[in-house]
């Protein structure tokens, strides 16, 4: 490992020491599935949380908290029941940003249909990502997941075309977008170390793309890893490959902790003395002026 990567690894480990505390889970949508023990509950709550994981954390929590409260102690058991409680639940649902109330209702009806067909088989969605040989493919697995979910939604809605809100929610399978929310879901399901769940056994952590949210995009630039304005799915895979140079088995280890730099520390992607001076990454960050902190920059 080069001196640059060795120093970066040291600083990343310091970041982990700072943020590896249960209290910081509340700053992330992963706080929702962390409430449950049953793998079926964890998986269904995770997919719901990740699909709606856009916007700031406060807005996400304000939308999802009432939903999971209405679903009670076991969201999985609640969803597979078709009774008056579920009907009332659908009536009380609200829209979220680009999704209308009708979009959200269609999503939950679709999830109910999928769960009932699975008949308590766990995991629920892993097979959606796997090919005929039950393996994950870089160029098609996430797209296949999107296709299958889209197909189920179209059947539920009895239509041939998704609304804008539902299309935004699951993403266009044939786009080159980084598919950050599905990548985040995969991280939660595949990694078997804190803070993730490790429910999926047929997919390896190093196979999946980095969840390229705005914070990871910003951090990858200031750390000199990636500087393109437009981020695509291949860039997310390349970021995974970069971190494999630091941790070959578990490159996505650093995702949760790096995003805290944006969410908690309020990193601006530019030098601001009050923010930068207290940051664990200041010695490896390109925006910190030379002479303020010693660091390796080639």
């Amino acid at each position: 490992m080069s001196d640059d990567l060795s120093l970066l690894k040291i600083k990343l480990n310091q970041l982990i020491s700072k943020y590896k505390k249960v209290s910081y889970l509340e700053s992330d949508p992963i706080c929702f599935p962390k409430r449950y023990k049953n793998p079926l509950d964890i998986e269904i709550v995770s997919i719901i949380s990740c699909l709606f994981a856009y916007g700031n954390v406060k807005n996400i929590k304000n939308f999802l908290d009432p939903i999971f409260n209405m679903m009670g102690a076991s969201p999985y058991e609640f969803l597979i029941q078709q009774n008056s409680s579920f009907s009332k639940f659908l009536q009380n649902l609200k829209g979220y940003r680009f999704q209308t109330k009708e979009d959200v209702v269609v999503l939950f009806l679709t999830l109910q249909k999928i769960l009932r067909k699975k008949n308590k088989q766990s995991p629920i969605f892993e097979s959606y990502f796997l090919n005929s040989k039950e393996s994950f493919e870089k160029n098609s697995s996430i797209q296949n997941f999107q296709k299958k979910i889209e197909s189920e939604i179209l059947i539920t809605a009895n239509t041939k075309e998704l609304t804008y809100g539902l299309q935004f929610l699951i993403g266009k399978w044939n786009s080159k977008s980084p598919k950050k929310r599905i990548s985040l879901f995969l991280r939660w399901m595949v990694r078997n170390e804190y803070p993730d769940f490790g429910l999926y056994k047929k997919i390896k952590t190093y196979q999946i793309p980095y969840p390229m949210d705005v914070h990871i995009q910003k951090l990858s630039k200031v750390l000199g890893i990636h500087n393109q304005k437009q981020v695509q799915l291949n860039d997310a895979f390349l970021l995974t490959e970069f971190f494999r140079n630091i941790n070959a088995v578990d490159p996505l280890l650093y995702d949760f902790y790096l995003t805290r730099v944006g969410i908690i520390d309020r990193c601006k992607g530019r030098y601001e003395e009050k923010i930068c001076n207290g940051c664990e990454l200041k010695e490896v960050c390109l925006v910190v002026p030379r002479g303020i902190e010693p660091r390796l920059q080639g």
Side-chain angles (χ1 to χ4, degrees), residues 116-172:
R116 296 177 104 186
K117 286 194 296 187
K118 284 286 186 176
N119 193 27
K120 296 192 177 182
Q121 292 179 2
S122 179
I124 303 163
F125 296 107
E126 184 176 24
S127 62
Y128 284 39
F129 292 97
L130 303 177
N131 61 19
S132 59
K133 298 180 180 178
E134 296 198 327
S135 61
F136 184 91
E137 292 184 353
K138 173 182 176 180
N139 296 320
S140 61
S141 286
I142 292 178
Q143 294 87 338
N144 288 340
F145 170 83
Q146 291 175 294
K147 287 180 187 178
K148 290 174 182 177
I149 297 296
E150 178 177 316
S151 177
E152 296 280 7
I153 289 175
L154 290 174
I155 294 171
T156 300
N158 192 25
T159 184
K160 295 183 179 180
E161 187 174 343
L162 294 179
T163 64
Y164 176 80
L166 287 169
Q167 185 72 84
F168 183 92
L169 198 64
I170 64 172
K172 295 181 178 180

Side-chain angles (χ1 to χ4, degrees), residues 73-88:
S74 175
Y76 176 85
E77 292 294 338
F78 178 84
L79 282 177
I80 62 173
Q81 303 301 319
Q82 196 165 25
N83 52 31
S84 58
S85 295
F86 184 70
S87 298
K88 185 177 180 181

